[in-house]
Amino acid sequence: MPSKLRSSSLLPRLLLLSLLLLLFYSLILLRRPFTSNLASPPPCDLFSGKWVFNPETPKPLYDETCPFHRNAWNCLRNKRDNMDVINSWRWVPNGCGLRRIDPTRFLKRMRNKNVGFVGDSLNENFLVSFLCILRVADPSAVKWKKKKAWRGAYFPKFNVTVAYHRAVLLSKYQWQPKSSAEANQDGVKGTYRVDVDVPANEWINVTSFYDVLIFNSGHWWGYDKFPKESPLVFYRKGKPINPPLDILQGFEVVLQHMVSYIQREVPAKTLKLWRLQSPRHFYGGDWNQNGSCLLDKPLEENQLDLWFDPRNNGVNKEARRINQIIKNELQTSNIKLLDLTYLSEFRADAHPAIWLGKQDAVAIWGQDCMHWCLPGVPDTWVDILSELILTNLKTE
């Protein structure tokens, strides 16, 4: 009889305890933010951070023997000073780490897919780094220049193609010379006709081939490339634009049309990225004014505005100015920004400079403070790009 009394009095206590526990956990859950629509936490900002020097940094994944090198950027073969130091700096994003690309993992995930770069030689610089890194996972890779590609490679083990289409203005443009008599009158030798609404032939019909496309433009949009004796003249629907546009106005209009074309014609499933400007590091003058970049370490953060802020009117101001135009235009598009500018602004130490592989190159062209040594900074670009590509593949 006493045991029955104990069990009957225990039951209400257990029920009361259960109700209290249920109430407690309900209150905890109600205080948590509602996150059921988030598949995973958002990735950190890979574009903000700092360069950290570490002599123990693993060696680059490739060397001067990579068959996809371009001679002027092959700083190991050209005996550039401090290559070990250049490649001992690692980019560390704020609040997270950046993994070095695993070429085998990347190509496995990209099996039967293709990656295309469209733009100027800075995208080619990017591509060469990418090809040399990926070749580590497939040494049987062969050069690939189909579909009007300027340079590329096919990786047969994974059925992956990675290629570059040279289109420095993105729009179609062509030289229209004047007769010698006309040229003598005003000093203008001819004009470059730019059809702002017509993509360049090199990429107009190939976008459906690629699963990932990385665009860029900007380095050719300056008066050093198109001086007053051979200016750009802008056409729309086959007729000259009036009043005539200056070079930056022309860039804006070209950008509007090219972004519209990409949005309209490139398949929705294609991952589209736009690489913002790769900064130049000319000191003491522009490339054709004896500008130099013989520096032995990255810039400090407090030096960046002195080099790159357009308000200072220095020779390297173009990157940020062009970037602002691009950012404004891409705001309403589904093209993702690949903002490699800030991390690259620090690396004044990592250009080919005078080590160009040809005896008279500096005398003819000046130092190269625009492109990057390979291996070098573009390898970090590849680490970031591969991370973004694989992250976006997860969310498909």
Side-chain angles (χ1 to χ4, degrees):
M1 189 71 176
S3 65
K4 282 188 178 181
L5 282 172
R6 278 197 298 271
S7 63
S8 61
S9 62
L10 186 60
L11 184 60
R13 291 178 184 176
L14 289 172
L15 285 172
L16 180 61
L17 183 60
S18 299
L19 286 170
L20 288 172
L21 287 171
L22 184 61
L23 179 62
F24 175 73
Y25 283 112
S26 298
L27 288 171
I28 289 175
L29 289 171
L30 284 170
R31 292 178 64 182
R32 288 182 181 176
F34 183 73
T35 57
S36 63
N37 63 331
L38 296 178
S40 60
C44 75
D45 182 0
L46 297 175
F47 309 123
S48 298
K50 60 183 178 181
W51 289 95
V52 175
F53 184 75
N54 182 4
E56 304 302 316
T57 296
K59 287 187 177 181
L61 293 171
Y62 61 96
D63 59 21
E64 67 271 27
T65 64
C66 171
F68 303 117
H69 263 301
R70 180 166 162 177
N71 182 52
W73 308 332
N74 190 344
C75 290
L76 289 174
R77 179 170 289 169
N78 297 337
K79 309 296 184 186
R80 194 217 191 279
D81 288 350
N82 295 327
M83 283 299 289
D84 285 345
V85 175
I86 286 171
N87 286 293
S88 292
W89 291 92
R90 300 298 300 165
W91 177 249
V92 180
N94 293 330
C96 67
L98 173 63
R99 292 181 295 183
R100 172 181 274 189
I101 182 177
D102 178 336
T104 301
R105 173 176 172 262
F106 180 84
L107 285 171
K108 281 181 177 178
R109 292 285 307 281
M110 294 297 291
R111 190 180 297 277
N112 303 322
K113 296 181 186 294
N114 304 309
V115 180
F117 291 76
V118 178
D120 59 34
S121 59
L122 272 301
N123 255 9
E124 183 183 2
N125 207 176
F126 196 171
L127 170 101
V128 172
S129 169
F130 207 10
L131 298 185
C132 288
I133 287 171
L134 294 180
R135 183 178 174 270
V136 173
D138 187 359
S140 63
V142 293
K143 293 180 180 179
W144 189 92
K145 294 179 71 173
K146 299 177 182 178
K147 297 183 180 291
K148 297 188 178 179
W150 180 271
R151 181 189 290 263
Y154 175 64
F155 299 88
K157 282 177 62 176
F158 304 92
N159 191 30
V160 170
T161 298
V162 182
Y164 160 69
H165 296 261
R166 180 178 169 85
V168 297
L169 302 184
L170 294 181
S171 283
K172 180 180 179 181
Y173 80 105
Q174 57 188 355
W175 172 242
Q176 297 181 320
K178 280 187 174 183
S179 68
S180 55
E182 290 178 306
N184 289 335
Q185 289 178 0
D186 58 10
V188 177
K189 301 175 184 176
T191 60
Y192 284 97
R193 168 177 170 161
V194 181
D195 286 278
V196 299
D197 48 353
V198 182
N201 290 335
E202 288 74 12
W203 70 279
I204 191 169
N205 293 318
V206 300
T207 53
S208 61
F209 176 72
Y210 293 104
D211 301 276
V212 180
L213 279 165
I214 303 100
F215 296 92
N216 96 296
S217 189
H219 288 283
W220 280 64
W221 292 89
Y223 292 104
D224 56 330
K225 295 290 188 183
F226 299 102
K228 60 183 180 180
E229 59 267 22
S230 53
L232 298 176
V233 178
F234 299 97
Y235 285 67
R236 182 163 40 207
K237 296 182 179 178
K239 296 180 180 178
I241 296 176
N242 282 308
L245 306 176
D246 68 28
I247 200 162
L248 280 184
Q249 291 171 330
F251 176 66
E252 288 189 65
V253 176
V254 164
L255 200 60
Q256 290 165 10
H257 283 282
M258 295 303 101
V259 169
S260 176
Y261 176 85
I262 292 166
Q263 295 279 88
R264 187 176 65 250
E265 299 294 337
V266 178
K269 65 179 179 62
T270 302
L271 174 60
K272 298 171 277 289
L273 301 120
W274 199 291
R275 182 185 62 73
L276 294 184
Q277 291 301 91
S278 167
R280 313 180 317 161
H281 287 94
F282 290 100
Y283 180 78
D286 214 330
W287 66 273
N288 55 356
Q289 300 167 337
N290 296 318
S292 174
C293 52
L294 298 175
L295 289 88
D296 58 7
K297 64 179 181 179
L299 301 177
E300 300 289 340
E301 186 166 14
N302 60 12
Q303 295 177 286
L304 299 186
D305 284 349
L306 295 174
W307 282 67
F308 301 110
D309 193 320
R311 291 173 295 184
N312 294 323
N313 202 34
V315 296
N316 303 301
K317 61 183 179 292
E318 65 169 28
R320 292 187 184 181
R321 181 175 289 166
I322 291 287
N323 277 356
Q324 194 55 56
I325 296 172
I326 295 170
K327 288 177 182 178
N328 291 343
E329 186 56 40
L330 294 185
Q331 277 182 348
T332 57
S333 78
N334 65 356
I335 303 170
K336 299 179 185 295
L337 288 177
L338 186 59
D339 190 355
L340 302 173
T341 306
Y342 175 71
L343 70 91
S344 305
E345 284 183 346
F346 290 92
R347 298 306 305 274
D349 60 316
H351 296 283
I354 60 175
W355 293 274
L356 301 175
K358 290 186 178 179
Q359 186 173 356
D360 300 324
V362 176
I364 297 170
W365 299 107
Q367 292 189 32
D368 188 349
C369 304
M370 177 185 295
H371 300 99
W372 301 92
C373 278
L374 296 179
V377 170
D379 299 353
T380 298
W381 298 357
V382 170
D383 291 339
I384 292 173
L385 175 64
S386 63
E387 195 75 26
L388 294 176
I389 290 174
L390 295 185
T391 298
N392 278 276
L393 285 176
K394 283 181 191 176
T395 60
E396 284 182 352

